[in-house]
């Protein structure tokens, strides 16, 4: 069965997710704020969940219609043959969001949608009450300028939940965003790569997985696998293909930090991710970083200085990045930070910068690209 599939993303990396999908062989993509849409079947849902590095979730689009009143929302939702999608004991969980719409109360919209889904289910199953003790179906009602989009989540816990990170340092970076930073940089395994503020190692671990062509979702399961009719053989086929796709590339990434605890955490995370042999972690102040390699990349998510009294330390870190770049002038430097004066403190205007969000924090990804 063919579906309209939606890969949701954080704002600013939609084009990166679209490029991932193109590299996986998908065409006729529709890119909008926070999502990329394409057509596919159950195997495509499995491939997207298993392989996409920068997407947040994989959703199935169920319906789209205009609603300016709760009655229109109710009737539009009820028209969907939910009984053909959800089993009689399905656990129906409704989430929602509303942007620039007359129906702005999200809790009310969630309640209306749940009632409409149940009414539709009654028509199918000829029952007035459902136990909801079976597999989970998370339905999202999203309103944008009075247009309702109803979707069902196939992922479960977000795609950033790779399974290797139990602990993290300060200002933790989502695995999906870390992967996006690496992909934007266009780093290749033949070039050196370092993170001089590596924290719990997320950027380097994601880079190592990219370098080895390791599917980020290989070692986890997804909520749609528990649905009735899920093809377990098909899922195993996708996973087997992913295991065989891991390449024989050899490289060594460098991670440094001044915090002994986060370095231990980074090492533990790399071991769980299966990439520890490709990353060397060391305790080292960033202003002491050097390399004999002529060409390379630095990709970092330095501390943001959210605590009182940390402003001077953060300013100095920005200056230190500028010093590293001047000393290693054939290296490219990529830094994500919310610091508004970063370029001034770095001492040079970036070749490119890109607005990204680390959680709810608006940041810029400053890119100093050497020829």
């Amino acid at each position: 069965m063919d579906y309209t599939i939606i890969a949701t993303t954080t704002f600013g990396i939609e084009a990166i997710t679209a490029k991932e999908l193109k590299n996986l062989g998908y065409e006729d993509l529709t890119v909008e704020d926070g999502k990329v849409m394409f057509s596919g079947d159950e195997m495509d849902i499995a491939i997207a969940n298993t392989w996409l590095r920068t997407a947040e979730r994989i959703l199935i689009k169920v319906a789209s219609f205009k609603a300016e009143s709760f009655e229109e929302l109710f009737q539009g939702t009820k028209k969907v043959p939910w009984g053909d999608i959800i089993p009689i004991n399905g656990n129906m969980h409704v989430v929602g969001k509303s942007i620039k719409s007359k129906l702005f109360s999200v809790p009310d919209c969630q309640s209306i949608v749940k009632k409409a889904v149940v009414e539709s289910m009654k028509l199918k199953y000829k029952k007035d009450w459902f136990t909801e003790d079976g597999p989970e179906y998370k339905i999202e009602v999203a309103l944008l300028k009075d247009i309702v989009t109803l979707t069902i989540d196939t992922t479960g816990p977000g795609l950033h939940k790779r399974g290797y990170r139990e602990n993290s340092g300060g200002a933790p970076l989502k695995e999906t965003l870390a992967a996006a930073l690496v992909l934007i940089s266009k780093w290749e395994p033949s070039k050196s790569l370092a993170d001089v503020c590596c924290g719990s190692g997320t950027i380097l671990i994601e880079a190592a997985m990219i370098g080895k062509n390791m599917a980020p979702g290989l070692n986890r399961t997804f909520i749609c696998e528990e649905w009735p009719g899920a093809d377990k053989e098909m899922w195993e086929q996708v996973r087997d293909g992913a295991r065989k796709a891991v390449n024989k590339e050899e490289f060594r990434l460098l991670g440094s930090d001044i915090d002994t605890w986060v370095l231990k955490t980074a090492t533990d995370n790399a071991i769980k991710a299966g990439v520890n042999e490709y990353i060397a972690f060391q305790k080292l102040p960033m202003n002491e970083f050097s390399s004999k390699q002529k060409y390379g990349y630095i990709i970092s998510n330095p501390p943001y200085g959210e605590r009182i009294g940390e402003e001077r330390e953060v300013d100095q870190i920005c200056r230190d990045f500028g010093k590293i770049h001047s000393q290693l002038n054939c290296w490219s430097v990529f830094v994500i930070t919310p610091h508004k004066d970063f370029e001034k403190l770095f001492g040079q205007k970036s070749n490119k910068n890109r607005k990204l969000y680390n959680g709810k924090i608006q940041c810029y990804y400053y890119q100093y690209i050497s020829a």
Side-chain angles (χ1 to χ4, degrees), residues 180-194:
L181 300 184
V182 177
L183 292 174
I184 291 168
S185 78
K186 297 182 180 179
W187 168 78
E188 296 178 353
S190 59
K191 298 289 178 67
S192 297
L193 172 61

Side-chain angles (χ1 to χ4, degrees), residues 25-68:
Y26 296 98
E27 300 177 354
D28 298 324
L29 306 176
T30 301
V31 181
E32 298 179 3
D33 286 348
K35 61 186 176 183
V36 183
M37 294 183 286
F38 61 104
S39 296
D41 58 16
E42 286 83 357
M43 178 167 279
D44 298 305
I45 290 170
I47 291 170
N49 272 306
T50 303
W51 276 102
L52 287 180
R53 302 181 190 279
T54 61
E56 295 298 315
R57 294 181 179 281
I58 304 302
L59 311 177
I60 296 171
K61 183 178 177 181
V62 177
S64 184
F65 54 89
K66 187 173 183 178
E68 296 182 340

Side-chain angles (χ1 to χ4, degrees), residues 288-346:
E288 294 181 18
F289 177 81
S290 62
S291 176
K292 294 180 181 178
Q293 299 296 321
K294 185 175 181 181
Y295 300 100
Y297 289 65
I298 291 173
I299 305 177
S300 286
N301 170 45
Y304 295 173
E306 294 174 305
R307 298 188 184 93
I308 296 173
E310 291 181 334
E311 292 87 351
R312 288 184 181 180
E313 294 176 26
V314 173
D315 286 353
Q316 187 57 51
I317 289 172
C318 297
R319 295 187 186 97
D320 287 341
F321 274 114
K323 290 177 183 177
I324 291 172
H325 188 244
S326 64
Q327 292 166 2
L328 301 172
N329 57 9
C330 290
W331 280 53
S332 297
V333 176
F334 299 81
V335 181
I336 182 171
T337 176
H339 202 308
K340 296 180 180 179
D341 294 324
F342 178 82
E343 290 174 309
K344 179 180 177 181
L345 293 164
F346 186 97

